[in-house]
Amino acid sequence: ESVRRSRKRSAWVSVEKGRISGLAAAGPCSGPTAWIVEHLVTPQGDDELCGNLLERAAAYAGRKGAETLFLRLPNEWHLVDIARHSGFLPCAQVFTLTLPGRSPLLGVEPFHGLRSRTPADDHSLFRLYNATTPAEARGIMGMTIQQWKDAQEPRSRGTQELILEQEDSAKAWVRLDHRQKSTRVRLAIHHEWKGEMLPLVAFIVRDAGARTILWEVLEYQAGLRLLLERVGFEVAGSYRLMVESLAVR
């Protein structure tokens, strides 16, 4: 097994008879205390190799100061079981919804009260995270503001983060990751916000333009999923978010 390092991520490969038989790649999220496994490729049925690569990645991330290691897996029980044996705990199931055909929201006026996120919003967004994330999930993903900041996905050139603010407090957060042909959407809304949801959805649909919308909805966002399905979104897939604790809390 050999290691190839780059500035931001590291990769581990398994070599058998001169050929690569498996690969895992991991790197930091937005801060040094949280890492994520970005790629995991092994032959089907080789559970031992899969577990070994995950354990190598976890050990290396821990030596680099990581406290948590995230992993996104397809919802296949045997893969989840392998990850469990390697120290990962299931955190949440994530559904990906798409909008086929024409939008039924063409007559809805898009929401206009959003603004861009700034560094000064961190504390307000951390309170929103606490208000919208179950305690069990927060205990796995991160309890402190530094853990929460470090665990956020790094921004790219196509990333937009928008805030809905009322009474000097963030009541909603929207993240749009625009790619050439698709827009990945994530949304968190405080239960205290009494505004209409459809204009907010209409804004996101309009902002995506001709791109395919890939709206990620966490399993505990049941109300949001029902609303999206009511206006024509359909579940296209799902994955399991898993987390391994690398430090004694």
Side-chain angles (χ1 to χ4, degrees), residues 116-123 149:
S116 297
R117 175 183 177 176
T118 69
D121 293 316
D122 283 353
H123 283 85
K149 287 175 63 176

Side-chain angles (χ1 to χ4, degrees), residues 9-30:
R9 62 179 60 87
S10 299
W12 296 261
V13 296
S14 174
V15 179
E16 184 178 351
K17 296 180 180 179
R19 301 182 66 180
I20 294 176
S21 57
L23 177 144
C29 298
S30 288

Side-chain angles (χ1 to χ4, degrees), residues 129-149:
Y129 160 77
N130 283 315
T132 57
T133 308
E136 183 178 357
R138 296 200 311 272
I140 298 173
M141 291 192 293
M143 295 292 288
T144 70
I145 187 170
Q146 191 61 51
Q147 290 170 336
W148 166 77
K149 287 175 63 176

Side-chain angles (χ1 to χ4, degrees), residues 163-179:
I163 306 294
L164 191 162
E165 188 177 43
Q166 289 181 348
E167 299 175 355
D168 298 324
S169 180
K171 298 302 182 187
W173 164 83
V174 181
R175 174 163 173 154
L176 306 171
D177 288 289
H178 297 298
R179 301 185 179 95

Side-chain angles (χ1 to χ4, degrees), residues 220-246:
Y220 47 79
Q221 295 180 307
L224 174 60
R225 178 179 170 182
L226 286 173
L227 173 70
L228 294 175
E229 290 179 336
R230 198 176 78 216
V231 299
F233 280 82
E234 298 176 0
V235 175
S238 65
Y239 65 86
R240 179 70 60 175
L241 179 65
M242 305 189 74
V243 185
E244 181 175 0
S245 176
L246 305 178

